[in-house]
Amino acid sequence: MNRAHRQSDWRSPWSRLMMGVVAAALAVAVGAALVATGSAIPAAAATPRDTLVIGMSTGILITLDPAAVYEVEGAVIVDQLYDKLVELAMVDGHIEVVPEAAETWQLADDGVTWTFFIREGMRFPSGRPITAHDVEYSIRRAVRLNRGPAWLLNQIGFTPDNVTDTVRALDERRLQLRVSQPFAPNLVLSILTFPLTSIVDREVVEAHLTAGDLATDYLKDHSAGSGPYRLVRWEPNQIVELEANPTYWRGAPPIRRIIIRDMPEPSAQRLAIERGDIDVAWSLTPLMRKELTAQGRTDLRVVRVPGHGIEYLAMNVKYEPLSHPKVREAIRWAIDYDAILDDILLGEAIPLQTFIPTGYFGHNPARPYTRDVERARQLLAEAGYPNGFAVELVTNTGSATRADVAQIIQSNLADIGIRVQITLMQAGPMYEKYREQGLQMIVAGWGVDYPDPDALAKPFADGSVRQLAWRNAWYDEEATRLTAEAMVERNSQRRQALYQQLTELVLHEGPFAILYQPVNAWVVRSNVQGFEEAAALGTMHFDMTRVRKAG
């Protein structure tokens, strides 16, 4: 007999475990800085009431094809353009997977056969109703396209060779998915919330096919979804413009246009938000937010929520000195984590040294590393590098903090003889090179793909997956085995124990120095309402339909 799951009665174990994160989010939101009166720079001109103008660094954007997008900013934009079978939502203070295009779903007793029942009344902007055939087409396309995020579906058994048999529309309203084996609770549904599974209008896509590209060239800068917004234009490194979808099934959103202006420099964002030229400054530095708060202005406020991500230093073991475990351990002991948290982040971060963030199931609170120069020197000498070595450390422009973090690490490592050359690159080319195992060391971040510890274990611990461990050429047989075992373990206590073992292994043997868990923060104009609700899930699901403007 099948087991039906409905929004009203479904509560995931991880959602309960996420309560700590949610509570922290609320605490931070309450602490959002409402900055009292003061010397405001007069606004040049208020933005229109039905338009939200965002200042953001968009250099990281490579594509807006939902089957290919993998960058946080790109995923936030794609989130506004498409619906999926299921979505994440904050329900009564808990994060849950909730229905979207799928009104209900069933998991058969075999543990591998899922049936989703498609909601009636949903239409694409073309007027075509959304059917199970569109969902079938969209998921098959994502698997066959096999771009970066495709591993999310590969890991539960969908491959280009079997997707015709494993993803099938039974009729107009029923879609069947057959995963490769019974997985840990909630893993499958969590993965289906990622933009990769966005539902595209198959007739629009078919009309723009070119040889072998599955219309990815067209969808790079066009949209074909049923979400609350449509993509009007994307001019790289200049502007992204969205307009409200009048046929959106929940009703057209209150903000009719969203304009994202490319502003790589936080200083430009600050000037624009102070003048009223933009409504949201996406990435000011912590110091800028502190200064704006200290000015005491009523026209600006700061919104903060715990981030669903990690900032880290990665070390490519293809590079000979970094291939030595004692060298990597020496670097971890040399870093001044408190200086990064206090001097750069100004407290806007959560201390973290293991790869599962605070509040998630499987989190390991261990933080063994503090700055210990003598211990680091000894480890470096034991590894055969008493005089250190030279290494290149890359990080991206457009980040409010990474260049400063890189400088602290450069200074820290100089104290043990490691000569660090910092190279700043635009995010797009940097990540392209990183994905080819082409960097020696990098300061970067990782946004959680889906709210399950497997979403962290795969990239950080499993070198057979072409993600972070692989990008740093690190493969550990035991780490890969533990990742696979935890993925299918249905007993929560045994699963917790597996993640404890795995995080300890990566903490001391892996190619990373985990630096901190970010706190996401935005400066918004005070007439922008609902931004806290829109950002409640961080960048994992950004709901712009919650935003409106007063006055």
Side-chain angles (χ1 to χ4, degrees):
M1 181 178 292
N2 292 331
R3 304 191 298 273
H5 299 266
R6 292 178 181 276
Q7 179 181 7
S8 59
D9 60 6
W10 191 75
R11 293 290 188 277
S12 67
W14 62 257
S15 70
R16 291 193 293 272
L17 289 163
M18 284 292 294
M19 287 180 67
V21 166
V22 175
L26 293 174
V28 176
V30 168
L34 238 197
V35 242
T37 53
S39 57
I41 296 175
T47 58
R49 185 175 178 180
D50 64 352
T51 300
L52 187 73
V53 183
I54 300 171
M56 176 192 291
S57 175
T58 65
I60 196 173
L61 298 182
I62 299 171
T63 177
L64 297 177
D65 182 338
V69 70
Y70 208 23
E71 295 68 35
V72 170
E73 289 80 359
V76 168
I77 295 170
V78 166
D79 222 8
Q80 316 310 314
L81 307 176
Y82 295 89
D83 288 309
K84 301 180 286 289
L85 283 172
V86 290
E87 186 54 278
L88 296 174
M90 192 75 76
V91 180
D92 298 331
H94 301 174
I95 299 175
E96 295 189 7
V97 176
V98 298
E100 196 162 64
E103 198 164 25
T104 61
W105 52 84
Q106 296 174 339
L107 175 61
D109 287 343
D110 62 10
V112 300
T113 305
W114 293 78
T115 302
F116 293 87
F117 299 86
I118 307 302
R119 186 185 306 275
E120 294 194 52
M122 293 179 67
R123 295 183 179 278
F124 293 108
S126 64
R128 288 186 57 248
I130 294 176
T131 71
H133 298 287
D134 293 292
V135 187
E136 173 196 85
Y137 181 90
S138 302
I139 296 178
R140 287 181 177 180
R141 176 180 178 273
V143 173
R144 288 169 176 155
L145 194 60
N146 201 26
R147 295 296 178 86
W151 73 274
L152 294 165
L153 292 172
N154 298 156
Q155 67 175 328
I156 53 175
F158 301 117
T159 69
D161 291 336
N162 71 18
V163 73
T164 300
D165 297 324
T166 55
V167 179
R168 295 192 305 131
L170 302 178
D171 52 36
E172 294 290 298
R173 305 251 68 84
R174 292 184 302 155
L175 178 84
Q176 185 182 86
L177 303 180
R178 285 183 57 81
V179 296
S180 57
Q181 58 183 307
F183 287 99
N186 311 306
L187 182 62
V188 173
L189 290 173
S190 296
I191 289 172
L192 293 177
T193 66
F194 197 76
L196 171 72
T197 63
S198 296
I199 303 166
V200 299
D201 186 331
R202 69 185 190 280
E203 291 193 0
V204 172
V205 173
E206 288 285 309
H208 294 88
L209 292 178
T210 57
D213 85 332
L214 294 177
T216 192
D217 188 51
Y218 173 78
L219 288 180
K220 175 182 177 181
D221 52 8
H222 295 78
S223 60
S226 57
Y229 290 92
R230 300 184 298 183
L231 179 63
V232 175
R233 61 172 169 156
W234 170 33
E235 298 175 15
N237 301 312
Q238 293 189 46
I239 193 169
V240 181
E241 183 176 352
L242 314 180
E243 71 176 11
N245 172 12
T247 66
Y248 183 52
W249 63 285
R250 287 189 171 106
I255 294 294
R256 311 298 292 180
R257 296 175 72 218
I258 298 175
I259 296 174
I260 301 172
R261 292 174 52 187
D262 182 52
M263 293 184 171
E265 296 302 325
S267 57
Q269 292 183 32
R270 175 175 177 170
L271 179 62
I273 192 78
E274 288 183 297
R275 289 173 52 87
D277 295 339
I278 61 175
D279 300 301
V280 179
W282 197 268
S283 49
L284 296 190
T285 66
L287 179 60
M288 289 175 180
R289 285 190 285 272
K290 183 178 181 180
E291 289 173 348
L292 287 174
T293 301
Q295 286 179 7
R297 301 178 52 152
T298 57
D299 58 338
L300 300 177
R301 61 197 179 93
V302 181
V303 176
R304 298 184 181 90
V305 301
H308 297 268
I310 293 171
E311 290 285 315
Y312 63 88
L313 168 75
M315 299 164 272
N316 189 337
V317 305
K318 281 174 62 178
Y319 185 59
E320 185 177 343
L322 301 177
S323 65
H324 202 300
K326 287 190 175 179
V327 170
R328 300 197 297 273
E329 193 75 343
I331 290 173
R332 283 188 278 262
W333 281 110
I335 294 173
D336 191 341
Y337 302 89
D338 289 339
I340 293 172
L341 292 170
D342 297 337
D343 300 343
I344 305 301
L345 281 303
L346 301 180
E348 288 187 341
I350 301 169
L352 183 74
Q353 292 186 356
T354 53
F355 66 76
I356 299 177
T358 304
Y360 277 63
F361 179 81
H363 169 66
N364 178 351
R367 287 195 288 131
Y369 298 108
T370 56
R371 179 163 163 78
D372 188 334
V373 174
E374 290 308 312
R375 188 170 185 172
R377 284 177 177 159
Q378 180 180 345
L379 285 165
L380 209 56
E382 291 174 3
Y385 296 93
N387 299 316
F389 55 88
V391 66
E392 182 184 40
L393 170 59
V394 176
T395 195
N396 62 288
T397 58
S399 164
T401 56
R402 286 179 190 159
D404 292 336
V405 170
Q407 287 183 356
I408 283 187
I409 293 173
Q410 180 187 46
S411 174
N412 293 160
L413 297 192
D415 292 339
I416 60 171
I418 298 178
R419 301 173 295 283
V420 175
Q421 175 189 324
I422 296 175
T423 299
L424 297 178
M425 299 179 66
Q426 287 190 336
M430 182 188 77
Y431 282 109
E432 285 187 15
K433 194 170 182 179
Y434 189 29
R435 291 180 186 119
E436 298 169 353
Q437 301 181 333
L439 302 178
Q440 295 179 354
M441 292 206 306
I442 181 174
V443 169
W446 181 260
V448 181
D449 291 325
Y450 49 94
D452 185 278
D454 183 69
L456 287 308
K458 282 287 194 324
F460 280 94
D462 187 348
S464 69
V465 175
R466 292 174 68 92
Q467 287 303 326
L468 299 182
W470 185 89
R471 291 177 191 178
N472 293 287
W474 186 74
Y475 177 81
D476 184 277
E477 188 171 340
E478 178 67 1
T480 299
R481 184 192 69 77
L482 288 168
T483 302
E485 189 175 344
M487 182 184 188
V488 297
E489 177 56 64
R490 294 190 151 201
N491 179 286
S492 62
Q493 288 187 330
R494 288 198 294 270
R495 199 177 189 220
Q496 175 80 37
L498 288 169
Y499 283 121
Q500 175 74 21
Q501 190 176 350
L502 182 58
T503 51
E504 286 290 335
L505 190 159
V506 175
L507 176 65
H508 295 291
E509 303 293 334
F512 307 102
I514 305 296
L515 301 174
Y516 60 90
Q517 179 179 346
V519 169
N520 296 140
W522 302 265
V523 175
V524 303
R525 304 287 304 175
S526 295
N527 65 334
V528 176
Q529 301 176 347
F531 201 85
E532 289 84 348
E533 290 79 6
L537 293 168
T539 51
M540 197 154 53
H541 172 52
F542 214 101
D543 186 358
M544 288 293 189
T545 66
R546 302 295 188 98
V547 179
R548 53 186 45 81
K549 290 171 72 174

